[in-house]
Amino acid sequence: MVSKLIEKIQKTKAPICVGLDPMLGYIPEHVKEKAFAEFGETLEGAAEAIWQFNCAIVDATADLIPAVKPQIAMYEQFGIEGLKAYDRTVKYCQQKGLIVIGDIKRGDIGSTSAAYATGHLGSVKVGNTTCSAFNTEYVTVNPYLGTDGVKPFVDECNASDRGIFVLVKTSNPSSGEFQDRLVDGRPLYELVAEKVVEWGEASMDGDYSNVGAVVGATYPEMSKILRKLMPKTYFLVPGYGAQGGTAEDLKYCFNEDGLGAIVNSSRGIIAAYKKDAYAKFGPEHFADASRQAVIDMIADIGRVL
Amino acid sequence: MVSKLIEKIQKTKAPICVGLDPMLGYIPEHVKEKAFAEFGETLEGAAEAIWQFNCAIVDATADLIPAVKPQIAMYEQFGIEGLKAYDRTVKYCQQKGLIVIGDIKRGDIGSTSAAYATGHLGSVKVGNTTCSAFNTEYVTVNPYLGTDGVKPFVDECNASDRGIFVLVKTSNPSSGEFQDRLVDGRPLYELVAEKVVEWGEASMDGDYSNVGAVVGATYPEMSKILRKLMPKTYFLVPGYGAQGGTAEDLKYCFNEDGLGAIVNSSRGIIAAYKKDAYAKFGPEHFADASRQAVIDMIADIGRVL
């Protein structure tokens, strides 16, 4: 799978993904009003608003980007109806030729992780019939339970040509609370990184592994070290833009081949119309604002590569 | 919420919960055949089999137990249809007066954890209307992202009288890979335990906190230490039975008041009819086998309390 991701990144010259994290507060009033008029102020109404919002953004940006990263929590908060919007969004993006990184951060004991892996990356057997459920190209995985919580995802990467990004160093303010604690003089996230390398060796696809790592843009000094520790690991880099990470902060996430990382922006793209820089588009043309924000982000990152 | 849980535990004299983790392999052929005849070998067919299986087990055991713990992965693997079965199961158990512990192991950056918390424990605002989605009494939470990934769940505990169990020391074989690593001479899980105490102080409900901890039955020496470190923290204890934990291993999870822990068994209860000890019931009477397994588990744990 990572070779497909790289191919798309090279074709678009855009090592970025758009985070489809549609909080209701980001969605323009006219989109919500239309959805609520049809389905009421209900979970179904919220899901419809999300779906319409996503469609417009995907239509306006799909030719510029290799991938999207829907954050499943933003759908799951609206229950079954929200998850239907997630499922529709995934399939719509795939029809548009985009790679979908399901930001699900799952991880459990072995048999349970196997269920998540089949449901999100692979297929599941019902009687004698093979069915697939969410079927995204990539998912994110939480490593706190160790190898037997991650291995079922790696197995699915191999069985179904899929990929994962394992949380190594997250972008949030308190990520250091446990991740930075020193074990034998080295931060925990480095130990996790070494395990990611080990897991990744079992799923190589060209020069890189299908087992990637989440490395936050907000901690550039750490990404420099992590880049060296994990030379064949693709990084999914959250934290650019709204969370405070700059293009300058990102450069250490890339290898000398200009590859090795895909940078996510969510709010900065999907809610661009709310920022002063894109206010001229207005809420009516929110998707055009998102397109311009994507073009600007690609240029911004291009400067440091 | 923890006071309600304790009340139910005291009323049933059963500090246990039944893990509703319906892998298709556990479901008797006649249940699957009926579901597949109606809905085909589809995700819908699988979800129907799960739902019928769960209903029978809940009907046969609800008067004996305080709580159930559905593992959402076992539903999520069947996509939207599976999650509908999760949702129906949650609501059915609540109608029967059971406390539902959604074993979801979510955890993310602050705004994302807030979305999970509203979706699973609280309610979400759609326009001017308040809607609720999965609405379980408890969920499990992964602490790898630190305080800002956990706090939104604690806030929801206070806003909606709910509870959480934070992963401290999990029951799986490789849980020690990161959780046991020494930080300043002490295992990481002890540091997590101290944070659980700190988070829990913000959500006390009687003698115990709504912020509980997951402590695996498979590591009794560690639970002894954790019990002392977290005197006011309720433990959710997986790993009894099929995973190898014995009643003897559990005794350190309880306080001297006989409270402080709720022990989960999944396979040992829901697939009891497959075990030699309950073979006499046969697949046709799988739910009666589950009932007997619950009675035996309560007696087994009663011996060490």
Side-chain angles (χ1 to χ4, degrees):
Chain A
M1 178 51 68
V2 72
S3 62
K4 284 185 198 160
L5 178 65
I6 290 170
E7 195 186 307
K8 282 185 184 289
I9 289 173
Q10 289 178 322
K11 204 170 149 193
T12 53
K13 299 188 178 64
I16 71 162
C17 63
V18 171
L20 296 173
D21 308 353
M23 297 179 86
L24 282 186
Y26 297 167
I27 303 180
E29 290 304 322
H30 70 279
V31 176
K32 285 187 282 197
E33 277 165 19
K34 189 156 176 283
F36 297 166
E38 195 172 357
F39 296 98
E41 289 183 347
T42 60
L43 298 174
E44 210 178 346
E48 173 67 14
I50 287 173
W51 163 245
Q52 294 298 344
F53 180 68
N54 282 352
C55 279
I57 289 171
V58 171
D59 287 346
T61 60
D63 62 311
L64 302 174
I65 57 174
V68 291
K69 182 179 78 63
Q71 166 53 261
I72 200 169
M74 298 305 166
Y75 304 82
E76 204 167 309
Q77 70 178 321
F78 300 108
I80 301 296
E81 296 302 326
L83 287 159
K84 281 188 201 166
Y86 175 80
D87 195 41
R88 284 176 86 178
T89 298
V90 168
K91 285 166 180 56
Y92 189 69
C93 292
Q94 289 170 334
Q95 280 169 21
K96 293 266 175 178
L98 296 166
I99 286 177
V100 181
I101 303 164
D103 197 355
I104 65 172
K105 294 191 180 63
R106 304 303 196 242
D108 209 299
I109 68 170
S111 55
T112 307
S113 277
Y116 281 129
T118 56
H120 286 277
L121 294 175
S123 54
V124 63
K125 211 65 186 238
V126 181
N128 295 309
T129 309
T130 301
C131 303
S132 68
F134 293 110
N135 202 20
T136 47
E137 279 77 18
Y138 268 93
V139 292
T140 55
V141 173
N142 186 307
Y144 188 67
L145 283 88
T147 296
D148 57 37
V150 177
K151 198 173 168 298
F153 289 99
V154 180
D155 292 344
E156 201 60 59
C157 289
N158 288 325
S160 306
D161 189 24
R162 301 287 158 173
I164 60 174
F165 294 104
V166 180
L167 305 188
V168 171
K169 173 66 188 172
T170 56
S171 58
N172 58 313
S174 67
S175 71
E177 229 168 69
F178 303 123
Q179 296 166 25
D180 294 3
R181 297 308 296 263
L182 298 183
V183 176
D184 300 331
R186 299 171 58 209
L188 178 66
Y189 63 76
E190 289 191 17
L191 275 70
V192 177
E194 287 178 351
K195 279 287 172 189
V196 167
V197 169
E198 186 187 314
W199 298 326
E201 281 164 2
S203 191
M204 292 301 295
D205 175 23
D207 293 338
Y208 287 92
S209 171
N210 291 318
V211 180
V214 173
V215 177
T218 40
Y219 301 101
E221 287 307 312
M222 297 174 183
S223 54
K224 199 187 228 169
I225 293 160
L226 289 170
R227 186 66 282 170
K228 282 186 190 139
L229 270 179
M230 300 189 277
K232 295 174 180 177
T233 305
Y234 234 82
F235 288 7
L236 170 64
V237 185
Y240 170 85
Q243 284 184 55
T246 66
E248 202 60 32
D249 295 332
L250 295 170
K251 65 181 177 202
Y252 304 119
C253 292
F254 290 88
N255 275 322
E256 288 187 3
D257 58 5
L259 295 171
I262 181 162
V263 181
N264 180 72
S265 176
S266 301
R267 206 184 332 165
I269 304 291
I270 68 172
Y273 76 98
K274 294 194 158 207
K275 290 162 72 178
D276 288 346
Y278 304 102
K280 64 177 179 196
F281 288 97
E284 285 293 330
H285 301 285
F286 68 94
D288 297 328
S290 295
R291 182 175 176 86
Q292 190 57 49
V294 165
I295 291 169
D296 295 345
M297 180 179 173
I298 294 169
D300 187 38
I301 293 174
R303 284 190 302 106
V304 299
L305 277 190
Chain B
M1 177 51 67
V2 72
S3 62
K4 284 186 197 157
L5 179 65
I6 290 170
E7 196 187 306
K8 282 186 184 288
I9 289 172
Q10 289 178 321
K11 203 171 150 194
T12 53
K13 297 188 180 66
I16 72 164
C17 64
V18 170
L20 295 174
D21 308 352
M23 296 178 87
L24 283 187
Y26 298 167
I27 303 180
E29 290 304 322
H30 71 278
V31 176
K32 284 187 281 195
E33 277 165 19
K34 191 157 174 284
F36 297 167
E38 196 172 356
F39 295 98
E41 289 182 347
T42 59
L43 297 174
E44 210 178 347
E48 173 68 13
I50 287 173
W51 163 246
Q52 294 296 343
F53 180 67
N54 282 351
C55 280
I57 289 172
V58 171
D59 287 347
T61 60
D63 61 313
L64 302 173
I65 57 175
V68 291
K69 181 180 78 63
Q71 166 52 261
I72 200 169
M74 298 305 166
Y75 304 81
E76 201 167 309
Q77 70 178 320
F78 300 108
I80 301 295
E81 296 302 327
L83 286 159
K84 282 188 201 166
Y86 175 80
D87 196 41
R88 284 177 85 178
T89 298
V90 168
K91 286 168 179 53
Y92 189 70
C93 292
Q94 288 171 333
Q95 281 168 21
K96 294 265 174 177
L98 295 166
I99 285 178
V100 181
I101 302 165
D103 196 354
I104 65 173
K105 294 190 179 68
R106 304 301 195 245
D108 209 299
I109 67 169
S111 55
T112 307
S113 277
Y116 281 129
T118 56
H120 286 277
L121 294 176
S123 54
V124 63
K125 214 52 189 249
V126 180
N128 295 309
T129 310
T130 302
C131 303
S132 68
F134 294 111
N135 202 19
T136 47
E137 279 78 16
Y138 268 94
V139 293
T140 55
V141 172
N142 185 309
Y144 189 67
L145 282 88
T147 296
D148 57 35
V150 177
K151 197 171 169 299
F153 289 99
V154 181
D155 292 343
E156 201 60 60
C157 289
N158 288 325
S160 307
D161 188 23
R162 299 288 157 170
I164 59 173
F165 293 104
V166 180
L167 305 187
V168 172
K169 173 67 188 171
T170 56
S171 59
N172 58 313
S174 67
S175 71
E177 231 169 66
F178 303 124
Q179 297 166 25
D180 294 3
R181 298 307 298 264
L182 298 183
V183 176
D184 300 331
R186 300 171 59 209
L188 179 66
Y189 62 78
E190 290 192 17
L191 275 71
V192 178
E194 287 177 351
K195 279 286 170 189
V196 168
V197 169
E198 186 187 315
W199 298 325
E201 281 163 3
S203 191
M204 291 301 295
D205 175 24
D207 292 337
Y208 286 94
S209 171
N210 291 318
V211 179
V214 173
V215 176
T218 41
Y219 302 100
E221 287 307 311
M222 297 174 183
S223 54
K224 201 187 223 167
I225 294 161
L226 289 171
R227 186 65 283 170
K228 282 186 193 142
L229 270 178
M230 300 188 277
K232 295 174 179 177
T233 306
Y234 235 82
F235 287 7
L236 170 64
V237 185
Y240 169 84
Q243 284 184 56
T246 66
E248 203 59 35
D249 295 333
L250 295 172
K251 66 181 177 202
Y252 305 118
C253 292
F254 290 88
N255 275 324
E256 288 186 4
D257 58 6
L259 296 171
I262 181 162
V263 181
N264 180 72
S265 176
S266 301
R267 208 183 332 166
I269 303 292
I270 67 172
Y273 76 99
K274 293 196 159 205
K275 290 162 75 178
D276 287 347
Y278 305 102
K280 64 179 178 195
F281 289 97
E284 285 293 329
H285 302 284
F286 67 95
D288 297 329
S290 295
R291 182 176 176 86
Q292 189 57 50
V294 166
I295 291 168
D296 295 346
M297 180 178 172
I298 294 169
D300 188 38
I301 293 174
R303 283 190 303 107
V304 299
L305 277 189

